[in-house]
Amino acid sequence: MEKRPFLTLPQLQEIVKTYPTPFHIYDEQAIRENARRVKAAFAWDPRFKEYFAVKATPNPRLLQILHEEGFGCDCSSYPELLLSKACGITGHEIMFSSNVTPAADFKLASDLDAIINFDDITHLAFYDKIGEWKETMSCRFNPGGHFVLDNEIMDSPQQAKYGMTREQLIQAFRYMQGKGVKHFGIHAFLASNTVENEYYPALARILFELAVEVQRETGVHIAFINLSGGVGIPYRPTQQPSDIMVIGEGVRRAYQEVLVPAGMDDVAIYTEMGRFILGPYGALVAQCIHQKHTYKEYVGLDACAADLMRPAMYGAYHHITVLGKEDALCDHVYDVTGGLCENNDKFAIDRALPEIAIGDYLYIHDTGAHGYSMGYNYNAKLRSAELLLRTDGTVEQIRRAETVKDYFSTLDCTGLLDGIE
Ligand SMILES: *Cc1c(COP(=O)(O)O)cnc(C)c1O
Protein backbone atom coordinates (compact mmCIF):
# COMPACT_ATOMS: atom_id res chain seq x y z
CA MET A 1 0.00 0.00 0.00
CA GLU A 2 1.39 3.39 -0.96
CA LYS A 3 2.04 5.47 2.12
CA ARG A 4 1.22 9.18 1.81
CA PRO A 5 1.41 11.68 4.67
CA PHE A 6 -1.81 13.46 5.65
CA LEU A 7 0.20 16.70 5.88
CA THR A 8 1.98 18.68 3.19
CA LEU A 9 5.17 20.69 3.69
CA PRO A 10 3.37 24.07 3.36
CA GLN A 11 0.78 22.94 5.93
CA LEU A 12 3.57 21.87 8.27
CA GLN A 13 5.47 25.12 7.80
CA GLU A 14 2.36 26.94 9.04
CA ILE A 15 1.95 24.59 12.02
CA VAL A 16 5.56 24.90 13.24
CA LYS A 17 5.14 28.68 13.49
CA THR A 18 2.98 27.93 16.55
CA TYR A 19 3.99 24.43 17.59
CA PRO A 20 7.65 23.51 17.20
CA THR A 21 8.69 19.95 16.37
CA PRO A 22 8.74 17.25 17.49
CA PHE A 23 5.05 16.41 17.89
CA HIS A 24 2.58 13.67 17.21
CA ILE A 25 -0.31 14.84 15.07
CA TYR A 26 -3.64 13.08 14.49
CA ASP A 27 -6.07 13.36 11.58
CA GLU A 28 -9.62 13.81 12.92
CA GLN A 29 -11.39 13.34 9.58
CA ALA A 30 -9.65 10.05 8.88
CA ILE A 31 -10.27 8.85 12.44
CA ARG A 32 -13.99 9.49 12.12
CA GLU A 33 -14.20 7.85 8.69
CA ASN A 34 -12.40 4.76 9.96
CA ALA A 35 -14.64 4.59 13.05
CA ARG A 36 -17.67 4.63 10.75
CA ARG A 37 -16.19 1.78 8.67
CA VAL A 38 -15.75 -0.28 11.84
CA LYS A 39 -19.38 0.30 12.79
CA ALA A 40 -20.55 -0.53 9.27
CA ALA A 41 -18.56 -3.78 9.30
CA PHE A 42 -20.38 -4.96 12.42
CA ALA A 43 -23.72 -3.30 11.73
CA TRP A 44 -25.25 -6.79 11.35
CA ASP A 45 -25.01 -7.01 15.16
CA PRO A 46 -27.23 -4.34 16.73
CA ARG A 47 -25.43 -4.87 20.05
CA PHE A 48 -21.92 -4.41 18.64
CA LYS A 49 -19.61 -2.10 20.53
CA GLU A 50 -15.97 -1.15 20.14
CA TYR A 51 -14.17 -0.35 23.39
CA PHE A 52 -11.12 1.62 22.30
CA ALA A 53 -7.97 0.37 24.05
CA VAL A 54 -7.04 3.50 25.99
CA LYS A 55 -3.43 2.40 26.46
CA ALA A 56 -2.88 2.84 22.71
CA THR A 57 -3.48 6.61 22.79
CA PRO A 58 -4.58 7.95 26.17
CA ASN A 59 -5.61 11.44 25.10
CA PRO A 60 -9.00 12.67 26.33
CA ARG A 61 -9.65 14.71 23.17
CA LEU A 62 -9.27 11.58 21.04
CA LEU A 63 -11.33 9.48 23.48
CA GLN A 64 -14.09 12.06 23.16
CA ILE A 65 -14.00 11.96 19.37
CA LEU A 66 -14.23 8.17 19.47
CA HIS A 67 -17.02 8.39 22.04
CA GLU A 68 -18.94 10.72 19.72
CA GLU A 69 -18.63 7.94 17.13
CA GLY A 70 -20.17 5.51 19.63
CA PHE A 71 -17.08 3.82 21.04
CA GLY A 72 -16.43 3.10 24.71
CA CYS A 73 -13.11 2.61 26.50
CA ASP A 74 -11.10 -0.47 27.32
CA CYS A 75 -9.10 0.36 30.45
CA SER A 76 -6.50 -1.57 32.38
CA SER A 77 -5.34 0.77 35.13
CA TYR A 78 -6.57 3.27 37.69
CA PRO A 79 -5.48 6.36 35.70
CA GLU A 80 -7.02 4.97 32.51
CA LEU A 81 -10.30 4.52 34.37
CA LEU A 82 -10.09 8.12 35.61
CA LEU A 83 -9.32 9.33 32.10
CA SER A 84 -12.47 7.63 30.81
CA LYS A 85 -14.50 9.04 33.65
CA ALA A 86 -13.16 12.53 32.92
CA CYS A 87 -14.44 12.11 29.35
CA GLY A 88 -17.90 11.18 30.62
CA ILE A 89 -17.37 7.55 29.68
CA THR A 90 -18.55 5.37 32.57
CA GLY A 91 -20.71 2.33 33.35
CA HIS A 92 -21.02 -0.29 30.64
CA GLU A 93 -19.15 1.98 28.25
CA ILE A 94 -16.00 0.90 30.10
CA MET A 95 -14.50 -2.56 29.70
CA PHE A 96 -11.92 -3.15 32.42
CA SER A 97 -9.50 -5.70 30.94
CA SER A 98 -6.59 -5.60 33.37
CA ASN A 99 -4.09 -8.10 34.67
CA VAL A 100 -2.08 -8.27 37.92
CA THR A 101 -4.75 -5.84 39.12
CA PRO A 102 -4.22 -3.79 42.28
CA ALA A 103 -7.13 -3.65 44.74
CA ALA A 104 -7.67 0.09 44.21
CA ASP A 105 -8.11 -0.43 40.47
CA PHE A 106 -10.79 -3.09 40.98
CA LYS A 107 -12.52 -0.81 43.49
CA LEU A 108 -12.64 2.11 41.06
CA ALA A 109 -13.84 -0.14 38.23
CA SER A 110 -16.60 -1.39 40.51
CA ASP A 111 -17.53 2.14 41.61
CA LEU A 112 -17.71 3.26 37.96
CA ASP A 113 -19.90 0.23 37.19
CA ALA A 114 -17.47 -0.80 34.44
CA ILE A 115 -17.72 -4.27 32.96
CA ILE A 116 -14.95 -6.13 34.75
CA ASN A 117 -13.12 -8.71 32.67
CA PHE A 118 -11.21 -11.01 35.06
CA ASP A 119 -7.79 -12.16 33.91
CA ASP A 120 -7.44 -14.92 36.48
CA ILE A 121 -9.58 -17.16 38.65
CA THR A 122 -7.73 -16.10 41.82
CA HIS A 123 -8.92 -12.54 41.17
CA LEU A 124 -12.48 -13.51 42.06
CA ALA A 125 -11.83 -14.09 45.76
CA PHE A 126 -9.55 -11.02 45.72
CA TYR A 127 -12.32 -8.92 44.15
CA ASP A 128 -14.95 -10.34 46.53
CA LYS A 129 -13.36 -8.36 49.38
CA ILE A 130 -13.19 -5.13 47.36
CA GLY A 131 -15.91 -4.68 44.78
CA GLU A 132 -19.54 -5.38 44.13
CA TRP A 133 -20.77 -8.27 42.06
CA LYS A 134 -22.64 -6.82 39.09
CA GLU A 135 -25.25 -8.38 36.84
CA THR A 136 -22.72 -8.51 34.00
CA MET A 137 -19.14 -9.71 34.37
CA SER A 138 -16.55 -11.26 32.09
CA CYS A 139 -13.57 -13.62 32.04
CA ARG A 140 -10.50 -13.76 29.87
CA PHE A 141 -9.78 -17.10 28.20
CA ASN A 142 -6.41 -18.57 27.24
CA PRO A 143 -6.64 -21.73 25.13
CA GLY A 144 -2.92 -22.56 25.58
CA GLY A 145 -0.94 -24.24 22.81
CA HIS A 146 -0.32 -22.38 19.59
CA PHE A 147 -2.74 -20.19 17.70
CA VAL A 148 -2.59 -21.31 14.10
CA LEU A 149 -4.04 -19.61 11.04
CA ASP A 150 -3.62 -21.16 7.58
CA ASN A 151 -1.02 -23.62 8.94
CA GLU A 152 1.04 -20.74 10.27
CA ILE A 153 1.72 -20.20 13.97
CA MET A 154 0.48 -16.69 14.71
CA ASP A 155 1.30 -16.72 18.40
CA SER A 156 1.73 -19.04 21.37
CA PRO A 157 -0.99 -18.47 23.97
CA GLN A 158 0.69 -21.10 26.19
CA GLN A 159 3.51 -18.58 26.68
CA ALA A 160 1.17 -15.68 27.40
CA LYS A 161 0.57 -14.53 30.96
CA TYR A 162 -3.04 -13.61 30.21
CA GLY A 163 -6.30 -15.40 30.72
CA MET A 164 -7.55 -18.58 32.33
CA THR A 165 -7.86 -22.18 31.21
CA ARG A 166 -11.19 -23.61 30.07
CA GLU A 167 -11.66 -25.41 33.39
CA GLN A 168 -10.88 -22.26 35.36
CA LEU A 169 -13.27 -20.22 33.23
CA ILE A 170 -16.13 -22.63 33.95
CA GLN A 171 -15.25 -22.68 37.64
CA ALA A 172 -15.15 -18.86 37.61
CA PHE A 173 -18.59 -18.63 35.98
CA ARG A 174 -20.05 -21.03 38.57
CA TYR A 175 -18.51 -18.98 41.39
CA MET A 176 -19.96 -15.77 39.98
CA GLN A 177 -23.35 -17.44 39.43
CA GLY A 178 -23.30 -18.06 43.17
CA LYS A 179 -22.67 -14.36 43.70
CA GLY A 180 -25.74 -13.44 41.67
CA VAL A 181 -24.06 -12.54 38.40
CA LYS A 182 -26.54 -13.04 35.54
CA HIS A 183 -24.82 -12.15 32.28
CA PHE A 184 -21.37 -13.32 31.26
CA GLY A 185 -18.77 -12.31 28.73
CA ILE A 186 -15.85 -14.25 27.29
CA HIS A 187 -12.73 -12.47 26.07
CA ALA A 188 -9.48 -13.56 24.41
CA PHE A 189 -6.52 -11.88 22.71
CA LEU A 190 -4.53 -14.44 20.74
CA ALA A 191 -2.49 -12.54 18.13
CA SER A 192 -1.17 -9.00 17.98
CA ASN A 193 -0.92 -6.69 14.99
CA THR A 194 -2.10 -9.12 12.34
CA VAL A 195 -3.35 -7.82 9.00
CA GLU A 196 -4.85 -11.25 8.22
CA ASN A 197 -8.57 -10.83 7.63
CA GLU A 198 -9.04 -14.32 9.08
CA TYR A 199 -7.84 -13.45 12.59
CA TYR A 200 -11.09 -12.18 14.10
CA PRO A 201 -13.27 -14.79 12.36
CA ALA A 202 -11.01 -17.63 13.57
CA LEU A 203 -10.90 -16.22 17.09
CA ALA A 204 -14.67 -15.68 17.02
CA ARG A 205 -15.25 -19.30 16.05
CA ILE A 206 -13.08 -20.53 18.95
CA LEU A 207 -14.91 -18.30 21.42
CA PHE A 208 -18.38 -19.02 20.01
CA GLU A 209 -17.80 -22.78 20.27
CA LEU A 210 -16.54 -22.32 23.80
CA ALA A 211 -19.57 -20.15 24.63
CA VAL A 212 -21.98 -22.84 23.43
CA GLU A 213 -20.22 -25.48 25.53
CA VAL A 214 -20.01 -23.26 28.60
CA GLN A 215 -23.67 -22.32 28.36
CA ARG A 216 -24.61 -26.01 28.08
CA GLU A 217 -22.38 -27.04 30.98
CA THR A 218 -23.25 -24.27 33.40
CA GLY A 219 -26.56 -22.88 32.21
CA VAL A 220 -25.24 -19.31 32.46
CA HIS A 221 -26.36 -16.64 30.01
CA ILE A 222 -23.51 -15.66 27.70
CA ALA A 223 -24.21 -12.01 26.91
CA PHE A 224 -21.15 -11.08 24.89
CA ILE A 225 -18.02 -12.26 23.17
CA ASN A 226 -15.13 -9.81 23.31
CA LEU A 227 -12.68 -10.25 20.44
CA SER A 228 -10.29 -7.79 22.07
CA GLY A 229 -7.61 -6.09 19.96
CA GLY A 230 -4.93 -7.34 17.62
CA VAL A 231 -6.26 -6.23 14.23
CA GLY A 232 -3.15 -4.87 12.56
CA ILE A 233 -2.20 -2.11 10.17
CA PRO A 234 0.22 -2.13 7.22
CA TYR A 235 3.29 -0.43 8.69
CA ARG A 236 5.27 -1.43 5.59
CA PRO A 237 4.40 -0.25 2.10
CA THR A 238 4.69 -3.88 0.95
CA GLN A 239 1.82 -4.95 3.25
CA GLN A 240 -1.82 -5.02 2.29
CA PRO A 241 -4.18 -3.45 4.82
CA SER A 242 -6.74 -5.66 6.48
CA ASP A 243 -10.30 -5.14 5.22
CA ILE A 244 -12.62 -4.47 8.13
CA MET A 245 -15.71 -5.22 6.01
CA VAL A 246 -14.33 -8.70 5.19
CA ILE A 247 -13.42 -9.18 8.86
CA GLY A 248 -16.92 -8.21 10.01
CA GLU A 249 -18.49 -10.51 7.45
CA GLY A 250 -16.23 -13.40 8.57
CA VAL A 251 -17.33 -12.93 12.17
CA ARG A 252 -20.98 -12.79 11.04
CA ARG A 253 -20.60 -16.10 9.22
CA ALA A 254 -19.12 -17.79 12.31
CA TYR A 255 -21.96 -16.30 14.38
CA GLN A 256 -24.56 -17.72 11.96
CA GLU A 257 -22.88 -21.12 11.89
CA VAL A 258 -22.15 -21.58 15.59
CA LEU A 259 -24.24 -19.33 17.83
CA VAL A 260 -27.52 -19.13 15.92
CA PRO A 261 -28.04 -22.92 15.65
CA ALA A 262 -27.38 -23.14 19.42
CA GLY A 263 -30.19 -20.65 20.03
CA MET A 264 -27.69 -18.02 21.19
CA ASP A 265 -28.62 -15.24 18.80
CA ASP A 266 -28.66 -12.53 21.44
CA VAL A 267 -24.90 -12.58 22.04
CA ALA A 268 -23.28 -9.18 21.52
CA ILE A 269 -19.94 -8.79 19.75
CA TYR A 270 -17.48 -6.47 21.42
CA THR A 271 -14.02 -5.43 20.30
CA GLU A 272 -11.15 -3.61 22.02
CA MET A 273 -9.10 -2.44 19.09
CA GLY A 274 -6.43 0.18 19.61
CA ARG A 275 -3.97 0.02 16.73
CA PHE A 276 -6.58 -0.39 14.00
CA ILE A 277 -8.61 2.54 15.31
CA LEU A 278 -5.88 5.18 15.49
CA GLY A 279 -2.54 3.76 14.31
CA PRO A 280 -2.52 5.04 10.71
CA TYR A 281 -4.10 8.38 11.61
CA GLY A 282 -1.23 9.70 13.69
CA ALA A 283 2.32 10.66 12.74
CA LEU A 284 5.43 11.83 14.54
CA VAL A 285 6.87 14.89 12.86
CA ALA A 286 10.50 15.71 13.62
CA GLN A 287 13.21 17.90 12.13
CA CYS A 288 16.65 16.87 11.00
CA ILE A 289 19.05 18.80 13.27
CA HIS A 290 22.33 17.00 12.54
CA GLN A 291 24.00 14.82 9.95
CA LYS A 292 26.94 12.61 10.58
CA HIS A 293 29.21 10.80 8.16
CA THR A 294 31.31 8.03 9.74
CA TYR A 295 31.07 4.34 8.87
CA LYS A 296 27.47 5.01 7.99
CA GLU A 297 25.38 8.01 7.05
CA TYR A 298 23.34 9.31 9.99
CA VAL A 299 20.46 11.72 10.11
CA GLY A 300 19.81 13.03 13.64
CA LEU A 301 16.34 14.22 14.61
CA ASP A 302 14.93 16.43 17.34
CA ALA A 303 12.75 13.44 18.32
CA CYS A 304 14.05 10.24 19.89
CA ALA A 305 12.86 6.86 21.16
CA ALA A 306 11.33 8.69 24.14
CA ASP A 307 8.71 9.93 21.64
CA LEU A 308 8.31 6.63 19.79
CA MET A 309 9.67 3.50 21.35
CA ARG A 310 8.46 0.80 18.96
CA PRO A 311 11.54 0.70 16.70
CA ALA A 312 13.92 0.54 19.69
CA MET A 313 11.75 -1.90 21.62
CA TYR A 314 10.63 -4.34 18.92
CA GLY A 315 12.70 -3.38 15.91
CA ALA A 316 9.36 -2.23 14.51
CA TYR A 317 9.24 -0.68 11.05
CA HIS A 318 7.80 2.81 10.70
CA HIS A 319 7.69 4.27 7.24
CA ILE A 320 9.33 7.69 6.84
CA THR A 321 8.54 10.42 4.34
CA VAL A 322 10.65 13.56 3.96
CA LEU A 323 8.03 16.29 3.64
CA GLY A 324 8.30 18.18 0.39
CA LYS A 325 10.31 15.30 -1.13
CA GLU A 326 7.40 12.85 -1.42
CA ASP A 327 8.17 12.04 -5.02
CA ALA A 328 11.97 12.38 -4.94
CA LEU A 329 14.13 9.37 -5.71
CA CYS A 330 15.12 7.34 -2.61
CA ASP A 331 18.76 7.15 -3.67
CA HIS A 332 20.42 7.68 -0.27
CA VAL A 333 20.72 5.23 2.61
CA TYR A 334 20.53 6.50 6.17
CA ASP A 335 20.23 5.48 9.78
CA VAL A 336 17.65 7.89 11.19
CA THR A 337 18.41 8.43 14.86
CA GLY A 338 17.40 10.25 17.99
CA GLY A 339 19.75 11.57 20.64
CA LEU A 340 19.46 8.97 23.41
CA CYS A 341 22.71 7.47 24.67
CA GLU A 342 21.45 4.10 23.48
CA ASN A 343 22.46 2.71 20.14
CA ASN A 344 18.97 1.28 19.60
CA ASP A 345 17.60 4.84 19.38
CA LYS A 346 17.10 4.54 15.64
CA PHE A 347 13.82 5.21 13.88
CA ALA A 348 15.22 3.46 10.81
CA ILE A 349 18.33 1.51 9.90
CA ASP A 350 19.75 1.42 6.37
CA ARG A 351 16.65 3.15 5.05
CA ALA A 352 16.55 4.31 1.43
CA LEU A 353 15.37 7.92 1.48
CA PRO A 354 15.74 11.02 -0.67
CA GLU A 355 18.78 13.16 0.10
CA ILE A 356 18.10 14.84 3.44
CA ALA A 357 19.28 18.32 4.39
CA ILE A 358 19.52 19.82 7.85
CA GLY A 359 16.20 21.53 8.54
CA ASP A 360 14.15 18.97 6.59
CA TYR A 361 11.02 17.67 8.28
CA LEU A 362 10.60 13.92 8.56
CA TYR A 363 7.13 12.46 8.82
CA ILE A 364 7.21 9.14 10.67
CA HIS A 365 4.06 7.24 9.75
CA ASP A 366 1.59 5.23 11.80
CA THR A 367 2.29 6.54 15.29
CA GLY A 368 -1.38 7.05 16.17
CA ALA A 369 -1.45 4.03 18.48
CA HIS A 370 1.26 2.76 20.85
CA GLY A 371 3.28 5.82 19.83
CA TYR A 372 3.17 8.75 22.25
CA SER A 373 1.73 6.46 24.91
CA MET A 374 4.86 4.30 25.14
CA GLY A 375 6.97 7.41 25.62
CA TYR A 376 9.30 7.63 28.56
CA ASN A 377 11.84 9.95 30.08
CA TYR A 378 15.11 8.12 29.60
CA ASN A 379 18.12 10.47 29.42
CA ALA A 380 15.78 13.08 30.91
CA LYS A 381 14.30 13.59 27.45
CA LEU A 382 11.03 15.46 27.58
CA ARG A 383 8.02 14.00 25.81
CA SER A 384 6.58 15.80 22.83
CA ALA A 385 3.28 17.57 22.29
CA GLU A 386 0.22 16.04 20.60
CA LEU A 387 -1.74 17.99 18.00
CA LEU A 388 -5.04 17.37 16.30
CA LEU A 389 -5.60 18.26 12.66
CA ARG A 390 -9.31 18.98 12.82
CA THR A 391 -11.88 18.28 10.14
CA ASP A 392 -11.99 22.00 9.34
CA GLY A 393 -8.24 22.05 8.68
CA THR A 394 -7.30 23.93 11.83
CA VAL A 395 -4.80 22.57 14.31
CA GLU A 396 -5.47 22.17 18.02
CA GLN A 397 -2.88 21.33 20.63
CA ILE A 398 -4.35 18.42 22.60
CA ARG A 399 -1.33 17.89 24.85
CA ARG A 400 1.48 20.35 25.43
CA ALA A 401 5.09 19.25 25.35
CA GLU A 402 6.69 18.42 28.69
CA THR A 403 8.84 21.05 30.37
CA VAL A 404 11.80 20.68 32.67
CA LYS A 405 9.44 21.47 35.54
CA ASP A 406 7.33 18.44 34.65
CA TYR A 407 10.45 16.31 34.73
CA PHE A 408 11.36 17.53 38.20
CA SER A 409 7.82 17.46 39.55
CA THR A 410 8.20 14.13 41.33
CA LEU A 411 11.38 15.23 43.08
CA ASP A 412 11.75 17.40 46.12
CA CYS A 413 14.04 20.07 44.81
CA THR A 414 12.55 23.07 46.53
CA GLY A 415 14.61 26.11 45.70
CA LEU A 416 16.80 24.21 43.25
CA LEU A 417 14.66 25.14 40.26
CA ASP A 418 13.98 28.79 41.01
CA GLY A 419 14.33 30.77 37.82
CA ILE A 420 14.70 27.68 35.63
CA GLU A 421 12.44 27.33 32.60
C1 LIG B 1 -3.33 -3.87 24.05
C2 LIG B 1 -4.70 -4.40 24.23
C3 LIG B 1 -5.70 -4.12 23.30
C4 LIG B 1 -5.48 -3.33 22.04
O1 LIG B 1 -4.60 -3.98 21.19
P1 LIG B 1 -4.33 -3.41 19.70
O2 LIG B 1 -3.26 -4.31 19.20
O3 LIG B 1 -3.92 -2.01 19.85
O4 LIG B 1 -5.61 -3.56 18.96
C5 LIG B 1 -6.97 -4.58 23.57
N1 LIG B 1 -7.25 -5.30 24.68
C6 LIG B 1 -6.31 -5.60 25.60
C7 LIG B 1 -6.69 -6.36 26.80
C8 LIG B 1 -4.99 -5.18 25.39
O5 LIG B 1 -4.06 -5.48 26.29
Side-chain angles (χ1 to χ4, degrees), residues 109-120:
S110 171
D111 291 348
L112 291 173
D113 204 21
I115 301 177
I116 295 176
N117 180 29
F118 289 103
D119 179 66
D120 188 47

Side-chain angles (χ1 to χ4, degrees), residues 32-63:
R32 289 187 185 275
E33 285 168 8
N34 185 56
R36 287 166 199 176
R37 279 194 295 274
V38 168
K39 280 187 292 182
F42 290 91
W44 54 268
D45 174 14
R47 300 173 186 84
F48 171 77
K49 193 164 183 81
E50 152 71 5
Y51 292 85
F52 174 69
V54 172
K55 73 163 188 239
T57 326
N59 187 297
R61 188 71 173 83
L62 299 172
L63 297 183

Side-chain angles (χ1 to χ4, degrees), residues 34-97:
N34 185 56
R36 287 166 199 176
R37 279 194 295 274
V38 168
K39 280 187 292 182
F42 290 91
W44 54 268
D45 174 14
R47 300 173 186 84
F48 171 77
K49 193 164 183 81
E50 152 71 5
Y51 292 85
F52 174 69
V54 172
K55 73 163 188 239
T57 326
N59 187 297
R61 188 71 173 83
L62 299 172
L63 297 183
Q64 277 164 343
I65 289 171
L66 295 174
H67 192 226
E68 283 167 21
E69 296 296 335
F71 294 177
C73 284
D74 160 34
C75 301
S76 62
S77 68
Y78 193 97
E80 285 182 2
L81 287 166
L82 285 183
L83 205 52
S84 301
K85 182 184 178 211
C87 296
I89 303 166
T90 58
H92 281 198
E93 291 210 299
I94 300 178
M95 184 68 63
F96 186 58
S97 292

Side-chain angles (χ1 to χ4, degrees), residues 287-312:
Q287 190 170 33
C288 169
I289 56 171
H290 287 289
Q291 288 201 351
K292 176 165 178 167
H293 322 282
T294 52
Y295 307 101
K296 299 185 90 171
E297 289 297 305
Y298 294 100
V299 168
L301 304 186
D302 57 1
C304 67
D307 301 297
L308 176 67
M309 202 191 204
R310 297 187 69 258

Side-chain angles (χ1 to χ4, degrees), residues 189-211:
F189 190 149
L190 302 188
S192 186
N193 187 26
T194 171
V195 290
E196 300 292 329
N197 290 331
E198 269 311 300
Y199 170 58
Y200 260 4
L203 172 64
R205 203 169 283 272
I206 291 170
L207 296 182
F208 293 165
E209 283 167 359
L210 176 69

Side-chain angles (χ1 to χ4, degrees), residues 53 55-56 74 97 140 162 187 189 192-193 228-231 272-276 369-370:
K55 73 163 188 239
D74 160 34
S97 292
R140 183 164 183 166
Y162 309 108
H187 165 283
F189 190 149
S192 186
N193 187 26
S228 191
V231 178
E272 296 174 339
M273 291 179 275
R275 195 184 313 274
F276 186 81
H370 312 293

Side-chain angles (χ1 to χ4, degrees), residues 152-395:
E152 197 191 323
I153 294 180
M154 304 291 292
D155 219 323
S156 301
Q158 66 183 8
Q159 299 293 341
K161 65 172 178 168
Y162 309 108
M164 27 187 129
T165 66
R166 186 185 187 284
E167 292 67 34
Q168 289 173 334
L169 184 113
I170 287 174
Q171 213 184 322
F173 280 13
R174 291 211 162 107
Y175 177 94
M176 288 195 275
Q177 252 180 321
K179 296 288 178 185
V181 177
K182 293 198 171 61
H183 309 293
F184 293 82
I186 304 178
H187 165 283
F189 190 149
L190 302 188
S192 186
N193 187 26
T194 171
V195 290
E196 300 292 329
N197 290 331
E198 269 311 300
Y199 170 58
Y200 260 4
L203 172 64
R205 203 169 283 272
I206 291 170
L207 296 182
F208 293 165
E209 283 167 359
L210 176 69
V212 172
E213 290 168 15
V214 168
Q215 182 145 337
R216 285 206 183 119
E217 269 179 61
T218 63
V220 302
H221 175 233
I222 306 292
F224 67 83
I225 296 293
N226 183 344
L227 300 175
S228 191
V231 178
I233 58 168
Y235 285 101
R236 292 173 185 271
T238 50
Q239 286 178 296
Q240 285 304 312
S242 46
D243 184 334
I244 197 69
M245 295 309 291
V246 173
I247 292 171
E249 173 56 21
V251 175
R252 190 193 66 81
R253 214 173 307 124
Y255 193 105
Q256 287 297 324
E257 288 169 16
V258 182
L259 289 180
V260 173
M264 294 169 65
D265 58 0
D266 66 338
V267 174
I269 301 300
Y270 294 159
T271 56
E272 296 174 339
M273 291 179 275
R275 195 184 313 274
F276 186 81
I277 302 301
L278 291 186
Y281 315 114
L284 172 61
V285 182
Q287 190 170 33
C288 169
I289 56 171
H290 287 289
Q291 288 201 351
K292 176 165 178 167
H293 322 282
T294 52
Y295 307 101
K296 299 185 90 171
E297 289 297 305
Y298 294 100
V299 168
L301 304 186
D302 57 1
C304 67
D307 301 297
L308 176 67
M309 202 191 204
R310 297 187 69 258
M313 190 170 178
Y314 316 118
Y317 180 95
H318 278 266
H319 199 65
I320 296 177
T321 301
V322 184
L323 289 176
K325 299 182 178 175
E326 287 81 354
D327 298 313
L329 211 58
C330 292
D331 54 358
H332 284 63
V333 174
Y334 295 108
D335 278 17
V336 180
T337 80
L340 292 185
C341 302
E342 262 289 351
N343 197 41
N344 67 0
D345 185 14
K346 296 181 176 180
F347 293 110
I349 297 172
D350 297 328
R351 183 72 58 86
L353 288 164
E355 182 166 20
I356 293 173
I358 289 179
D360 278 354
Y361 291 105
L362 274 67
Y363 177 103
I364 304 175
H365 292 248
D366 301 319
T367 72
H370 312 293
Y372 179 91
S373 64
M374 276 191 185
Y376 60 128
N377 280 127
Y378 194 54
N379 260 175
K381 291 285 187 182
L382 304 176
R383 278 169 293 195
S384 73
E386 292 182 290
L387 307 180
L388 179 68
L389 176 62
R390 293 166 43 160
T391 38
D392 65 4
T394 59
V395 170

